[in-house]
Each structure stands twice: as structure tokens, then as C-alpha cells.
Amino acid sequence: KKLPNNAGPAAEALPEGVHFKLIGAVADHVCETLFVQDARVLAVTVKIVKLAIAEHGEQIGITLRRERR
């Protein structure tokens, strides 16, 4: 994924695509773990915001929603 237009200057230091591949994999893992652990879970929404590299209050991250298949 490309960085969103509002990602700001903090994200410019990251190699293109690396940032969102990593946090996307983490979000996907969280969803899959919840589905495996509890059959009652029908859908999961995970929002990951990276504040450590943010500048001037910007939010860099993703929101991932998955539903049980």
C-alpha cells in the first residue's frame, strides 16, 4: 500500500511499502488469533496507529476489518 496523503513527513523516512506490510501482517495476525481462540467471534476490526514516528499530532496506521469465513 502507498502511504496516505496525510501520513506526513515522519513516514517519508521509511522505505516505500515496508511500513504498511509489517503493520498489516500484525493486524491480520490479531484477527486470525481471535477467530481461532473463540468461535463466537464473527468479525474483528483492528486499528493500529503508530505514534512513535508521528510528528505534529499526525496518525500513521491502518484499520483492518475481517469477518469469519
Side-chain angles (χ1 to χ4, degrees):
K1 296 181 182 180
K2 293 185 72 83
L3 292 172
N5 290 340
N6 63 349
E12 292 173 6
L14 298 170
E16 187 169 333
V18 172
H19 173 75
F20 283 100
K21 286 180 186 177
L22 176 61
I23 65 170
V26 170
D28 191 55
H29 177 72
V30 169
C31 292
E32 193 60 36
T33 299
L34 291 171
F35 288 136
V36 168
Q37 290 182 350
D38 191 339
R40 298 172 296 173
V41 175
L42 301 177
V44 178
T45 301
V46 177
K47 181 175 183 176
I48 298 176
V49 178
K50 291 190 71 163
L51 299 175
I53 62 171
E55 294 179 354
H56 310 293
E58 64 194 4
Q59 292 186 356
I60 302 166
I62 66 164
T63 300
L64 174 75
R65 177 167 174 80
R66 287 202 31 212
E67 296 181 7
R68 186 178 291 279
R69 297 179 201 162

